[in-house]
Amino acid sequence: MNFDFSDEQKQMRDAARKFLAEKCPPKAVREVLDGKTTYDKALWKGLAEMGFLGVAIPEEFGGAGAGHLELCVIAEEMGRALAPVPFSSTVYLAAEALLLAGSDAQKQKWLPKIASGEAIGTLALFEGKGNPSPQAIKLPASGGTLSGVKKPVPDGAIADFAVVAARTGSTGRDADISLFLVDLKAGGVEVRSLTNIDPTHGQAELTFKNCKAEPLGAAGEGWGILTQVLDRAAVLMAFEQVGGSDRALEMGRDYALDRIAFGRPIGSFQAVKHILADMYVSATLARSNCYYGAWALSTNASELPEAAAAARISATQAFQHCSKNNIQVHGGMGFTWEFDCHMYYRRANATAVTLGSLSYWEDQLIDRMRKKNAA
Protein backbone atom coordinates (compact mmCIF):
# COMPACT_ATOMS: atom_id res chain seq x y z
CA MET A 1 0.00 0.00 0.00
CA ASN A 2 1.36 3.41 -1.02
CA PHE A 3 0.83 6.18 1.54
CA ASP A 4 2.66 8.82 -0.51
CA PHE A 5 1.44 11.27 -3.13
CA SER A 6 1.59 10.26 -6.78
CA ASP A 7 4.35 11.41 -9.14
CA GLU A 8 1.94 13.88 -10.76
CA GLN A 9 1.03 15.35 -7.39
CA LYS A 10 4.70 15.64 -6.45
CA GLN A 11 5.32 17.47 -9.72
CA MET A 12 2.53 19.87 -8.82
CA ARG A 13 4.16 20.38 -5.42
CA ASP A 14 7.52 21.12 -7.04
CA ALA A 15 5.89 23.57 -9.45
CA ALA A 16 4.12 25.33 -6.58
CA ARG A 17 7.31 25.51 -4.51
CA LYS A 18 9.27 26.94 -7.40
CA PHE A 19 6.56 29.46 -8.20
CA LEU A 20 6.21 30.61 -4.59
CA ALA A 21 9.97 30.80 -4.08
CA GLU A 22 10.11 33.23 -7.00
CA LYS A 23 6.91 35.19 -6.44
CA CYS A 24 6.59 35.05 -2.64
CA PRO A 25 9.99 35.64 -1.00
CA PRO A 26 10.08 36.96 2.58
CA LYS A 27 10.29 40.49 1.18
CA ALA A 28 6.85 40.10 -0.41
CA VAL A 29 5.41 38.82 2.88
CA ARG A 30 6.87 41.81 4.70
CA GLU A 31 5.16 44.20 2.27
CA VAL A 32 1.83 43.06 3.68
CA LEU A 33 3.12 42.66 7.24
CA ASP A 34 4.31 46.27 7.21
CA GLY A 35 0.86 47.43 6.14
CA LYS A 36 1.88 48.66 2.69
CA THR A 37 -0.90 46.58 1.13
CA THR A 38 -3.76 44.39 2.37
CA TYR A 39 -2.68 41.33 0.39
CA ASP A 40 -0.34 40.44 -2.47
CA LYS A 41 -2.53 41.08 -5.51
CA ALA A 42 0.17 40.05 -8.00
CA LEU A 43 0.66 36.74 -6.21
CA TRP A 44 -3.11 36.15 -6.12
CA LYS A 45 -3.31 36.72 -9.87
CA GLY A 46 -0.36 34.41 -10.42
CA LEU A 47 -1.92 31.64 -8.34
CA ALA A 48 -5.03 31.89 -10.49
CA GLU A 49 -3.00 31.73 -13.70
CA MET A 50 -1.19 28.64 -12.41
CA GLY A 51 -4.58 27.01 -11.76
CA PHE A 52 -3.94 26.66 -8.03
CA LEU A 53 -7.07 28.54 -6.89
CA GLY A 54 -9.35 26.18 -8.76
CA VAL A 55 -7.42 22.95 -8.34
CA ALA A 56 -10.31 21.25 -6.49
CA ILE A 57 -13.11 23.03 -8.37
CA PRO A 58 -14.78 20.89 -11.08
CA GLU A 59 -14.04 21.79 -14.69
CA GLU A 60 -17.71 22.61 -15.34
CA PHE A 61 -17.33 25.51 -12.90
CA GLY A 62 -14.07 26.81 -14.32
CA GLY A 63 -11.66 24.85 -12.15
CA ALA A 64 -8.95 22.30 -12.85
CA GLY A 65 -11.08 19.41 -11.65
CA ALA A 66 -8.15 17.73 -9.92
CA GLY A 67 -9.20 16.99 -6.34
CA HIS A 68 -8.52 17.46 -2.67
CA LEU A 69 -5.21 15.56 -2.66
CA GLU A 70 -3.84 18.10 -5.10
CA LEU A 71 -5.25 20.89 -2.96
CA CYS A 72 -3.46 19.45 0.08
CA VAL A 73 -0.20 19.58 -1.85
CA ILE A 74 -0.76 23.24 -2.74
CA ALA A 75 -1.81 24.08 0.82
CA GLU A 76 1.46 22.76 2.22
CA GLU A 77 3.47 24.98 -0.10
CA MET A 78 1.33 28.00 0.75
CA GLY A 79 2.15 27.40 4.41
CA ARG A 80 5.88 27.07 3.74
CA ALA A 81 5.92 30.42 1.94
CA LEU A 82 3.56 32.21 4.35
CA ALA A 83 1.70 33.39 1.26
CA PRO A 84 -0.03 36.70 2.14
CA VAL A 85 -3.20 36.04 0.15
CA PRO A 86 -6.81 35.08 1.09
CA PHE A 87 -6.27 31.48 -0.01
CA SER A 88 -7.66 29.68 3.03
CA SER A 89 -10.74 31.85 3.46
CA THR A 90 -11.64 31.66 -0.23
CA VAL A 91 -10.63 28.12 -1.16
CA TYR A 92 -10.99 26.11 2.07
CA LEU A 93 -14.10 27.85 3.42
CA ALA A 94 -16.14 29.73 0.83
CA ALA A 95 -15.50 27.41 -2.12
CA GLU A 96 -16.02 24.25 -0.06
CA ALA A 97 -19.33 25.61 1.28
CA LEU A 98 -20.47 26.30 -2.28
CA LEU A 99 -19.40 22.85 -3.44
CA LEU A 100 -21.26 21.19 -0.58
CA ALA A 101 -24.49 23.20 -0.52
CA GLY A 102 -24.66 25.64 -3.41
CA SER A 103 -27.24 25.49 -6.16
CA ASP A 104 -26.08 25.21 -9.77
CA ALA A 105 -26.78 28.91 -10.23
CA GLN A 106 -24.73 29.85 -7.16
CA LYS A 107 -21.87 27.63 -8.23
CA GLN A 108 -21.94 29.02 -11.77
CA LYS A 109 -21.86 32.56 -10.41
CA TRP A 110 -19.05 32.29 -7.86
CA LEU A 111 -16.84 29.23 -8.46
CA PRO A 112 -15.49 30.38 -11.86
CA LYS A 113 -14.69 33.75 -10.29
CA ILE A 114 -12.79 32.02 -7.48
CA ALA A 115 -10.82 29.88 -9.91
CA SER A 116 -9.90 32.91 -12.01
CA GLY A 117 -8.94 35.03 -9.02
CA GLU A 118 -11.72 37.50 -9.77
CA ALA A 119 -13.54 36.94 -6.47
CA ILE A 120 -12.44 36.58 -2.87
CA GLY A 121 -14.74 34.74 -0.51
CA THR A 122 -14.98 34.11 3.21
CA LEU A 123 -17.02 32.43 5.94
CA ALA A 124 -18.73 34.66 8.51
CA LEU A 125 -19.22 32.30 11.44
CA PHE A 126 -17.93 33.81 14.67
CA GLU A 127 -19.64 36.56 16.68
CA GLY A 128 -16.87 37.39 19.11
CA LYS A 129 -14.86 35.19 21.43
CA GLY A 130 -15.49 31.48 21.69
CA ASN A 131 -15.49 28.33 19.60
CA PRO A 132 -17.89 27.19 16.87
CA SER A 133 -21.28 26.06 18.16
CA PRO A 134 -24.93 26.50 17.17
CA GLN A 135 -25.58 28.34 20.43
CA ALA A 136 -22.90 30.93 19.66
CA ILE A 137 -24.69 32.01 16.47
CA LYS A 138 -27.07 34.86 17.38
CA LEU A 139 -27.32 36.88 14.15
CA PRO A 140 -30.96 36.56 12.97
CA ALA A 141 -32.20 36.02 9.44
CA SER A 142 -35.71 37.18 8.59
CA GLY A 143 -37.48 37.86 5.33
CA GLY A 144 -34.38 37.30 3.26
CA THR A 145 -32.32 39.87 5.17
CA LEU A 146 -29.63 39.82 7.85
CA SER A 147 -29.03 42.26 10.70
CA GLY A 148 -26.22 41.88 13.17
CA VAL A 149 -22.46 41.62 13.61
CA LYS A 150 -19.94 38.95 12.68
CA LYS A 151 -16.36 39.05 13.94
CA PRO A 152 -13.67 38.08 13.42
CA VAL A 153 -14.21 37.28 9.74
CA PRO A 154 -11.06 36.04 7.94
CA ASP A 155 -10.15 38.38 5.09
CA GLY A 156 -13.53 40.04 5.53
CA ALA A 157 -12.18 43.49 4.62
CA ILE A 158 -11.18 42.37 1.13
CA ALA A 159 -13.82 39.71 0.43
CA ASP A 160 -16.34 40.07 -2.40
CA PHE A 161 -18.84 37.64 -0.93
CA ALA A 162 -19.43 35.77 2.29
CA VAL A 163 -21.11 32.60 3.44
CA VAL A 164 -22.93 33.70 6.59
CA ALA A 165 -24.24 31.50 9.39
CA ALA A 166 -27.47 32.88 10.85
CA ARG A 167 -30.26 31.88 13.22
CA THR A 168 -33.60 31.03 11.61
CA GLY A 169 -35.29 29.24 14.51
CA SER A 170 -35.70 29.30 18.28
CA THR A 171 -36.06 25.63 19.20
CA GLY A 172 -32.60 25.45 20.78
CA ARG A 173 -31.52 22.73 18.35
CA ASP A 174 -28.93 22.58 15.58
CA ALA A 175 -31.78 22.95 13.06
CA ASP A 176 -32.10 26.61 14.07
CA ILE A 177 -29.04 27.47 11.97
CA SER A 178 -29.08 28.17 8.24
CA LEU A 179 -26.50 29.46 5.77
CA PHE A 180 -26.81 32.47 3.50
CA LEU A 181 -24.81 33.85 0.61
CA VAL A 182 -24.14 37.60 0.72
CA ASP A 183 -22.64 39.80 -1.97
CA LEU A 184 -20.55 42.14 0.16
CA LYS A 185 -20.26 44.70 -2.63
CA ALA A 186 -24.03 45.08 -3.06
CA GLY A 187 -24.51 47.27 0.00
CA GLY A 188 -26.04 46.76 3.41
CA VAL A 189 -22.72 45.75 5.03
CA GLU A 190 -20.29 47.89 6.99
CA VAL A 191 -16.73 46.59 7.15
CA ARG A 192 -14.13 47.39 9.79
CA SER A 193 -10.64 45.92 9.81
CA LEU A 194 -9.45 44.40 13.07
CA THR A 195 -5.96 44.30 14.54
CA ASN A 196 -4.55 40.80 14.87
CA ILE A 197 -1.26 39.03 15.47
CA ASP A 198 -0.69 38.24 11.79
CA PRO A 199 -1.55 41.15 9.46
CA THR A 200 -0.70 39.00 6.43
CA HIS A 201 -4.03 37.24 7.08
CA GLY A 202 -6.47 40.03 7.86
CA GLN A 203 -9.54 39.87 10.11
CA ALA A 204 -12.61 42.11 9.97
CA GLU A 205 -15.87 42.98 11.63
CA LEU A 206 -18.90 42.83 9.35
CA THR A 207 -22.05 44.69 10.40
CA PHE A 208 -25.16 43.66 8.46
CA LYS A 209 -27.99 46.19 8.28
CA ASN A 210 -31.08 44.70 6.64
CA CYS A 211 -28.67 43.17 4.17
CA LYS A 212 -30.15 41.05 1.39
CA ALA A 213 -29.12 37.41 1.74
CA GLU A 214 -29.62 34.40 -0.49
CA PRO A 215 -30.17 31.00 1.16
CA LEU A 216 -27.29 28.54 0.72
CA GLY A 217 -28.51 25.01 1.16
CA ALA A 218 -31.77 23.97 2.76
CA ALA A 219 -33.19 25.87 5.71
CA GLY A 220 -32.21 24.37 9.04
CA GLU A 221 -29.27 22.42 7.63
CA GLY A 222 -26.69 25.13 8.18
CA TRP A 223 -24.93 23.57 11.14
CA GLY A 224 -24.60 20.19 9.42
CA ILE A 225 -23.06 21.89 6.39
CA LEU A 226 -20.77 24.00 8.55
CA THR A 227 -19.49 20.92 10.36
CA GLN A 228 -18.49 19.38 7.03
CA VAL A 229 -16.89 22.62 5.84
CA LEU A 230 -14.87 22.97 9.05
CA ASP A 231 -13.69 19.35 8.85
CA ARG A 232 -12.51 19.84 5.27
CA ALA A 233 -10.86 23.13 6.12
CA ALA A 234 -9.19 21.55 9.17
CA VAL A 235 -7.36 19.05 6.97
CA LEU A 236 -6.33 21.69 4.43
CA MET A 237 -5.24 24.15 7.13
CA ALA A 238 -3.27 21.35 8.79
CA PHE A 239 -1.24 20.95 5.61
CA GLU A 240 -0.48 24.68 5.67
CA GLN A 241 0.67 24.30 9.26
CA VAL A 242 2.88 21.32 8.39
CA GLY A 243 4.44 23.34 5.57
CA GLY A 244 5.19 26.13 8.02
CA SER A 245 6.55 23.64 10.57
CA ASP A 246 8.96 22.14 8.06
CA ARG A 247 10.19 25.54 6.95
CA ALA A 248 10.73 26.69 10.56
CA LEU A 249 12.71 23.50 11.19
CA GLU A 250 14.83 24.12 8.10
CA MET A 251 15.51 27.70 9.19
CA GLY A 252 16.64 26.52 12.61
CA ARG A 253 18.80 23.76 11.17
CA ASP A 254 20.50 26.06 8.65
CA TYR A 255 21.23 28.68 11.28
CA ALA A 256 22.61 26.04 13.66
CA LEU A 257 25.01 24.86 10.97
CA ASP A 258 26.17 28.37 10.05
CA ARG A 259 26.37 30.06 13.45
CA ILE A 260 29.79 29.63 15.05
CA ALA A 261 30.28 29.84 18.82
CA PHE A 262 33.35 28.77 20.79
CA GLY A 263 35.00 27.79 17.53
CA ARG A 264 32.33 25.36 16.32
CA PRO A 265 28.80 25.41 14.80
CA ILE A 266 26.14 25.68 17.50
CA GLY A 267 24.42 22.73 15.84
CA SER A 268 27.18 20.52 17.26
CA PHE A 269 26.06 21.25 20.83
CA GLN A 270 23.82 18.65 22.37
CA ALA A 271 21.24 21.13 23.68
CA VAL A 272 20.65 22.53 20.18
CA LYS A 273 20.54 19.03 18.71
CA HIS A 274 17.79 18.12 21.17
CA ILE A 275 15.73 21.16 20.19
CA LEU A 276 16.01 20.36 16.49
CA ALA A 277 15.27 16.69 17.06
CA ASP A 278 12.11 17.54 19.01
CA MET A 279 11.02 19.87 16.21
CA TYR A 280 11.54 17.09 13.67
CA VAL A 281 9.49 14.62 15.71
CA SER A 282 6.53 16.98 16.11
CA ALA A 283 6.54 17.94 12.42
CA THR A 284 6.78 14.30 11.30
CA LEU A 285 3.96 13.21 13.61
CA ALA A 286 1.79 16.01 12.26
CA ARG A 287 2.54 14.99 8.68
CA SER A 288 1.45 11.44 9.44
CA ASN A 289 -1.88 12.67 10.78
CA CYS A 290 -2.27 15.02 7.82
CA TYR A 291 -1.78 12.17 5.36
CA TYR A 292 -4.53 10.25 7.12
CA GLY A 293 -6.73 13.32 6.90
CA ALA A 294 -5.91 13.77 3.21
CA TRP A 295 -6.95 10.19 2.49
CA ALA A 296 -10.21 10.61 4.39
CA LEU A 297 -10.94 13.92 2.67
CA SER A 298 -10.17 12.72 -0.84
CA THR A 299 -12.26 9.56 -0.47
CA ASN A 300 -15.04 11.16 1.63
CA ALA A 301 -14.45 8.37 4.13
CA SER A 302 -16.58 7.93 7.22
CA GLU A 303 -13.41 8.47 9.27
CA LEU A 304 -13.09 12.09 8.08
CA PRO A 305 -14.45 13.71 11.30
CA GLU A 306 -11.87 11.92 13.48
CA ALA A 307 -9.08 12.26 10.92
CA ALA A 308 -9.72 15.98 10.48
CA ALA A 309 -9.62 16.61 14.24
CA ALA A 310 -6.43 14.57 14.65
CA ALA A 311 -4.71 16.39 11.78
CA ARG A 312 -5.78 19.76 13.10
CA ILE A 313 -4.56 19.03 16.63
CA SER A 314 -1.16 17.63 15.72
CA ALA A 315 -0.46 20.24 13.03
CA THR A 316 -1.39 23.10 15.35
CA GLN A 317 0.90 21.75 18.06
CA ALA A 318 3.72 21.14 15.59
CA PHE A 319 3.60 24.60 14.00
CA GLN A 320 3.52 26.38 17.34
CA HIS A 321 6.33 24.17 18.66
CA CYS A 322 8.57 24.52 15.60
CA SER A 323 8.05 28.26 15.15
CA LYS A 324 8.75 28.90 18.84
CA ASN A 325 11.89 26.76 18.94
CA ASN A 326 13.17 28.21 15.68
CA ILE A 327 13.37 31.50 17.57
CA GLN A 328 15.18 29.76 20.44
CA VAL A 329 17.79 28.27 18.09
CA HIS A 330 18.43 31.72 16.64
CA GLY A 331 18.91 33.14 20.12
CA GLY A 332 18.60 36.90 20.62
CA MET A 333 18.62 37.53 16.86
CA GLY A 334 15.50 35.40 16.52
CA PHE A 335 13.45 37.99 18.41
CA THR A 336 14.36 40.87 16.09
CA TRP A 337 12.16 42.30 13.36
CA GLU A 338 14.96 41.89 10.79
CA PHE A 339 14.98 38.09 11.06
CA ASP A 340 12.07 36.13 9.57
CA CYS A 341 11.48 33.88 12.59
CA HIS A 342 8.68 36.02 14.01
CA MET A 343 6.69 35.78 10.80
CA TYR A 344 6.30 32.02 11.26
CA TYR A 345 5.53 32.47 14.95
CA ARG A 346 2.81 34.97 14.07
CA ARG A 347 1.27 32.68 11.49
CA ALA A 348 1.44 29.67 13.82
CA ASN A 349 -0.52 31.44 16.53
CA ALA A 350 -3.00 33.00 14.11
CA THR A 351 -3.85 29.72 12.39
CA ALA A 352 -4.13 28.00 15.78
CA VAL A 353 -7.45 29.77 16.41
CA THR A 354 -8.75 30.34 12.88
CA LEU A 355 -11.15 27.37 12.88
CA GLY A 356 -11.61 27.13 16.63
CA SER A 357 -9.08 26.69 19.40
CA LEU A 358 -6.86 23.68 19.99
CA SER A 359 -8.98 22.64 22.97
CA TYR A 360 -12.09 22.78 20.79
CA TRP A 361 -10.62 20.29 18.33
CA GLU A 362 -9.36 18.09 21.17
CA ASP A 363 -12.91 17.96 22.53
CA GLN A 364 -14.21 17.23 19.04
CA LEU A 365 -11.83 14.31 18.62
CA ILE A 366 -12.79 12.79 21.97
CA ASP A 367 -16.53 13.21 21.34
CA ARG A 368 -16.32 11.78 17.83
CA MET A 369 -14.30 8.77 18.89
CA ARG A 370 -16.64 8.13 21.82
CA LYS A 371 -19.71 8.24 19.57
CA LYS A 372 -18.09 6.00 16.98
CA ASN A 373 -17.09 3.42 19.58
CA ALA A 374 -20.59 3.48 21.06
CA ALA A 375 -22.22 2.88 17.67
Side-chain angles (χ1 to χ4, degrees), residues 8-29:
E8 292 78 11
Q9 290 158 352
K10 290 178 181 179
Q11 290 173 0
M12 179 178 288
R13 178 189 62 196
D14 293 342
R17 185 170 299 187
K18 181 179 179 181
F19 171 80
L20 288 166
E22 178 181 350
K23 302 296 183 180
C24 187
K27 180 181 178 180
V29 180

Side-chain angles (χ1 to χ4, degrees), residues 19-356:
F19 171 80
L20 288 166
E22 178 181 350
K23 302 296 183 180
C24 187
K27 180 181 178 180
V29 180
R30 286 179 178 273
E31 289 285 320
V32 180
L33 185 63
D34 289 335
K36 297 177 181 178
T37 182
T38 52
Y39 72 102
D40 193 330
K41 297 180 180 179
L43 177 60
W44 185 249
K45 180 180 179 181
L47 290 168
E49 292 173 349
M50 291 290 289
F52 295 153
L53 299 183
V55 68
I57 295 175
E59 293 182 7
E60 61 183 302
F61 300 119
H68 285 100
L69 283 180
E70 288 75 11
L71 184 53
C72 288
V73 166
I74 301 302
E76 182 177 344
E77 297 309 313
M78 297 291 287
R80 281 182 61 91
L82 299 181
V85 290
F87 191 80
S88 58
S89 57
T90 302
V91 178
Y92 308 163
L93 297 172
E96 289 298 322
L98 283 166
L99 289 170
L100 279 170
S103 65
D104 284 342
Q106 291 168 334
K107 292 177 182 178
Q108 288 288 357
K109 178 179 180 179
W110 291 111
L111 290 178
K113 291 182 179 180
I114 290 175
S116 66
E118 182 181 348
I120 294 170
T122 188
L123 173 66
L125 170 60
F126 296 99
E127 298 181 16
K129 296 180 181 179
N131 287 310
S133 74
Q135 294 73 28
I137 299 173
K138 306 296 184 182
L139 184 145
S142 177
T145 63
L146 302 175
S147 294
V149 178
K150 288 287 187 179
K151 67 174 183 180
V153 180
D155 298 307
I158 59 175
D160 297 292
F161 74 97
V163 175
V164 183
R167 182 166 293 277
T168 52
S170 56
T171 66
R173 299 186 305 225
D174 294 359
D176 291 340
I177 307 303
S178 301
L179 294 184
F180 295 86
L181 201 56
V182 176
D183 186 341
L184 298 177
K185 305 303 181 183
V189 185
E190 291 183 0
V191 180
R192 182 173 70 91
S193 295
L194 301 175
T195 301
N196 73 318
I197 192 173
D198 182 16
T200 64
H201 274 189
Q203 302 282 350
E205 175 184 279
L206 302 184
T207 302
F208 300 91
K209 296 184 176 180
N210 294 318
C211 176
K212 292 183 179 180
E214 180 182 348
L216 180 69
E221 294 185 1
W223 187 250
I225 297 168
L226 278 171
T227 300
Q228 295 180 67
V229 171
L230 291 175
D231 283 347
R232 292 183 176 198
V235 175
L236 297 166
M237 184 67 74
F239 270 91
E240 275 202 20
Q241 292 170 304
V242 164
S245 300
D246 278 356
R247 183 63 193 126
L249 171 59
E250 292 171 5
M251 291 169 65
R253 176 204 63 195
D254 293 345
Y255 185 80
L257 292 174
D258 291 340
R259 177 73 168 91
I260 303 298
F262 305 105
R264 53 195 285 197
I266 64 171
S268 65
F269 296 116
Q270 191 173 38
V272 176
K273 289 180 181 180
H274 284 173
I275 292 175
L276 294 171
D278 287 344
M279 292 166 68
Y280 175 80
V281 170
S282 62
T284 302
L285 176 61
R287 181 175 296 280
S288 176
N289 281 286
C290 284
Y291 277 29
Y292 179 43
W295 165 81
L297 175 59
S298 65
T299 60
N300 198 27
S302 61
E303 294 91 343
L304 177 58
E306 301 89 62
R312 173 66 174 166
I313 292 166
S314 60
T316 297
Q317 292 173 332
F319 197 10
Q320 289 185 310
H321 179 251
C322 290
S323 62
K324 173 184 175 181
N325 281 285
N326 179 38
I327 295 175
Q328 296 298 323
V329 171
H330 279 73
M333 295 300 294
F335 290 86
T336 64
W337 184 265
E338 289 74 16
F339 272 58
D340 296 334
C341 303
H342 67 92
M343 297 195 297
Y344 285 85
Y345 186 71
R346 289 172 182 272
R347 181 65 63 85
N349 286 280
T351 54
V353 296
T354 299
L355 304 174

